[in-house]
Amino acid sequence: MTGLFLTKNATPILGQFAAVLGWIINGIFNFLDSIGIPNVGLTVVLFTVIIYTLMLPLTYKQQKFSRMSVKMNPELQAIQKKYKGKQDQVSMMKMQDEMKAVYAKYGTSQTGSCLPLLIQLPFLLAVYRVVYAIPAYVDKVRAAYYPLVTELLNSAGAQDFLTNLTSAAQFSRQEFNENTIIDILNKASTAEWDSLASNFPDLSGVIDQARNVLEGFNNFIGLNISNSPWFSIKQFWAEGAYLLLIVALLIPVLAGLTQWISVRLMPTAAPATGDGNSEDMMKSMRMMNNFMPLMSVWFCFVLPVGVGIYWVMSAVVRMVQQLAINKYLSKMDIDEEIKKNIEKYNRKREKDGLPPERLNNVARTSAKSVEPKNTKKREITS
């Protein structure tokens, strides 16, 4: 378990994603340092914008699928109804062929909604891994802990003191070495740094030096991003710094609010009338969408401010992207899209030596509304 957090993640796939993202965040911090503003909070902001911009093609593909599903789902359900109760192999194969043709008509597949999510999942997990363990990926932040780390390794009682800190609980199974010390100090609150200085007065010089550099790196709009908002609120209340208290309170509040708005902007296709399973699924999704913003508030109260900054910025970037995607897709000509998809599908069939299929088209429809009140379908034979 040596260097569980500080050592770069070696998990297959996730480790490779984290290594690439670590290279990006290290480059951002070095760039900011070169222009005189070496700040971890600002680094996280720019990092989040860049990462979600890189994921924009996947986001667009996923949202386009959701829009197309409004027209596609009734046709799929009609096919399922047509073969309902037929379990013989011939009927099942015919049903699969007809459903495959419908998916082709709308330019997607049965995994069309899942594949972008599966691709994004390790990416997003790696992003969180990098943000949560900045010293593991940003060289200059890691270097700021020296020579304090060396001194603590050679100081009697340092191991017992550090491993008894609250921030050390998650590292209790690690071997005590340089990585462990940096992991603990990276998660240590202001009060724990104060306790370290009072327990090792002989190291006050190197402690102050490391602390001053790190506080300069970690100061973001008056907050130390290594502290949690809850800790900061209590600290600012005791100090009478009410303006900073409000700023600390805004982090979790904005995390919940921005996620709530982001979820509301995402398109969701209404289930077909009478489809119990779809309706139950939609209810579960609505419940989850209402619950997650509240969870965001709680997590961003107790986790470091840096995580909250990432959470807020990711929701803000998603909101901007969603508004842009919504505007673009509202102008999408579904007839033209389907025509292209049918031509592409039939070219593929031709290569396989199969005759072209006559697929039903739809009337010209704006994609602006993804939950139309009238789900009655109009079809034109192409």
Side-chain angles (χ1 to χ4, degrees):
M1 300 289 290
T2 300
L4 176 65
F5 273 71
L6 195 60
T7 301
K8 295 179 180 180
N9 195 289
T11 306
I13 301 178
L14 181 59
Q16 282 70 37
F17 274 101
V20 173
L21 297 177
W23 179 81
I24 293 173
I25 199 169
N26 187 53
I28 295 171
F29 187 89
N30 288 338
F31 167 74
L32 292 175
D33 185 42
S34 70
I35 60 175
I37 45 176
N39 186 275
V40 174
L42 185 55
T43 298
V44 170
V45 170
L46 296 177
F47 176 71
T48 307
V49 172
I50 291 171
I51 293 310
Y52 277 89
T53 300
L54 292 174
M55 290 197 296
L56 184 58
L58 289 174
T59 304
Y60 169 75
K61 186 174 182 180
Q62 185 181 353
Q63 299 310 320
K64 184 179 178 182
F65 175 86
S66 297
R67 301 268 173 168
M68 285 295 199
S69 293
V70 176
K71 289 292 180 181
M72 179 176 66
N73 285 342
E75 296 184 38
L76 293 174
Q77 288 157 4
I79 293 171
Q80 291 170 339
K81 184 177 180 181
K82 175 181 175 181
Y83 291 96
K84 186 177 181 180
K86 298 180 180 180
Q87 301 296 326
D88 60 284
Q89 187 176 2
V90 174
S91 297
M92 295 298 289
M93 290 181 66
K94 285 184 178 179
M95 183 179 75
Q96 287 298 320
D97 287 342
E98 290 184 29
M99 291 180 69
K100 183 179 177 181
V102 172
Y103 278 111
K105 167 182 168 182
Y106 288 96
T108 185
S109 65
Q110 290 174 300
T111 59
S113 61
C114 299
L115 191 57
L117 289 174
L118 290 175
I119 295 173
Q120 290 181 53
L121 183 59
F123 200 80
L124 294 174
L125 289 174
V127 168
Y128 180 77
R129 173 68 179 79
V130 169
V131 170
Y132 196 66
I134 289 289
Y137 296 92
V138 180
D139 297 334
K140 290 185 177 180
V141 175
R142 177 189 171 99
Y145 288 93
Y146 294 93
L148 175 57
V149 172
T150 304
E151 294 289 348
L152 288 172
L153 277 174
N154 297 321
S155 298
Q159 178 174 349
D160 291 337
F161 172 82
L162 290 171
T163 53
N164 285 323
L165 294 178
T166 303
S167 59
Q170 58 190 308
F171 312 114
S172 59
R173 295 176 61 190
Q174 289 185 226
E175 178 185 339
F176 191 79
N177 56 22
E178 291 183 0
N179 284 358
T180 313
I181 293 174
I182 298 177
D183 281 337
I184 294 171
L185 294 178
N186 183 46
K187 299 295 180 289
S189 66
T190 300
E192 290 177 326
W193 275 92
D194 290 340
S195 179
L196 176 66
S198 63
N199 278 272
F200 297 91
D202 294 342
L203 302 180
S204 60
V206 290
I207 291 174
D208 289 343
Q209 180 184 2
R211 190 172 182 177
N212 289 337
V213 174
L214 290 167
E215 285 181 352
F217 287 168
N218 292 333
N219 185 284
F220 186 76
I221 53 176
L223 304 179
N224 186 330
I225 66 171
S226 64
N227 291 333
S228 69
W230 178 241
F231 175 88
S232 299
I233 288 169
K234 292 187 293 182
Q235 178 186 15
F236 295 142
W237 178 265
E239 296 173 355
Y242 300 120
L243 181 59
L244 289 176
L245 184 151
I246 293 172
V247 174
L249 182 63
L250 279 174
I251 295 294
V253 171
L254 286 175
L257 179 62
T258 52
Q259 178 153 338
W260 183 82
I261 296 173
S262 177
V263 167
R264 291 301 181 276
L265 289 173
M266 293 179 65
T268 53
T273 304
D275 187 347
N277 292 334
S278 296
E279 289 175 356
D280 290 342
M281 185 178 297
M282 291 297 294
K283 288 179 181 177
S284 298
M285 288 182 64
R286 281 194 293 268
M287 185 179 298
M288 181 66 70
N289 289 340
N290 290 328
F291 181 68
M292 284 307 295
L294 296 177
M295 289 299 296
S296 297
V297 173
W298 168 250
F299 284 134
C300 291
F301 254 119
V302 299
L303 291 175
V305 169
V307 176
I309 293 170
Y310 162 70
W311 220 305
V312 172
M313 279 306 304
S314 63
V316 170
V317 175
R318 288 198 306 270
M319 287 161 52
V320 173
Q321 289 182 345
Q322 193 62 61
L323 288 170
I325 291 172
N326 287 350
K327 185 176 181 179
Y328 179 79
L329 290 179
S330 68
K331 301 175 181 178
M332 182 175 67
D333 187 334
I334 295 181
D335 270 346
E336 187 63 29
E337 287 290 322
I338 289 177
K339 181 180 178 182
K340 293 177 182 177
N341 294 332
I342 292 173
E343 291 174 353
K344 181 179 177 181
Y345 181 60
N346 281 330
R347 283 197 300 269
K348 183 178 179 181
R349 287 179 61 85
E350 185 179 355
K351 288 181 181 179
D352 295 336
L354 299 172
E357 284 210 16
R358 294 176 60 82
L359 301 175
N360 287 335
N361 206 342
V362 296
R364 185 181 302 274
T365 307
S366 170
K368 184 175 182 180
S369 175
V370 296
E371 293 185 11
K373 293 181 181 179
N374 182 9
T375 58
K376 189 175 181 180
K377 182 179 56 179
R378 295 181 295 165
E379 294 188 346
I380 302 174
T381 304
S382 61

